[in-house]
Amino acid sequence: MMKWFDIPPVWLLMALVMTWVVADVQPLWLRMGGPLTDLLGGLLVGAGIVLILLAMAEMRKRQTTVIPHQEASHLVTTGVFKRSRNPIYLGDALILAGLALRWDAPIALILVPLFMFTITQRFILPEEDGLRRKFRAEFARYCEKTRRWL
C-alpha cells in the first residue's frame, strides 16, 4: 500500500488539496482574482497538461517506463526532453501553480517550490542515479546539455 502512496501523482494531489484549503481559508484581502489571473492560471494548467502528454508520448515512442522507481529501458533525450530532463514533473509544477491562481490562492504559490524540492529529493535524484549507472557517458552528456527543470 505504501508503494502506491509514494508516487508523484499522490504528492501532486496532496499539494492540490493543500492549495484548495488555503484558497478556502485565506483572508479576502489577500485575494487577487480577476480575469487576468484566471487566464494565466488556465494557461499554466493547460501548458502543464500538454507538457505531460508530450513527455509521455515521447517515452512511449521509445518504449520506456513512465513509472518512477522502475528501471528505464532507454534514455529519452528527444522531444520535450531536449529542454527539460523532467518535463512530467515540470508539468505537475505548472498545474499546481495554475490551479493556485485559478482558485485565487496566491499564498499557496509557496507550495510550488516546496513541491519541486520534494519531487527532486524523493524521485528525481534516485531516478538520475539509476540513469547515471545504466547509461553512464550518454547520461553525463545529456546532463551537460539539458537542465533538470527548465
Side-chain angles (χ1 to χ4, degrees), residues 121-140:
Q121 297 302 309
R122 294 197 70 76
F123 300 101
I124 293 175
L125 293 178
E127 287 173 14
E128 287 183 348
D129 188 46
L131 292 171
R132 189 173 289 109
R133 281 194 310 268
K134 182 167 185 168
F135 299 106
R136 300 190 184 275
E138 185 182 2
F139 184 70

Side-chain angles (χ1 to χ4, degrees), residues 44-109:
L44 288 173
V45 170
I49 291 169
V50 167
L51 192 57
I52 291 168
L53 292 175
L54 288 172
M56 291 176 85
E58 199 66 30
M59 292 178 86
R60 183 180 174 129
K61 187 166 59 171
R62 293 294 311 255
Q63 299 177 339
T64 193
T65 185
V66 297
I67 301 171
H69 305 307
Q70 287 190 355
E71 185 176 332
S73 57
H74 294 91
L75 180 63
V76 182
T77 61
T78 56
V80 292
F81 287 91
K82 284 183 180 180
R83 301 280 180 234
S84 171
R85 293 196 316 254
N86 298 285
I88 294 174
Y89 298 139
L90 179 59
D92 289 344
L94 291 173
I95 290 169
L96 179 58
L99 287 176
L101 293 174
R102 291 283 298 167
W103 294 338
D104 200 13
I107 293 174
L109 288 171

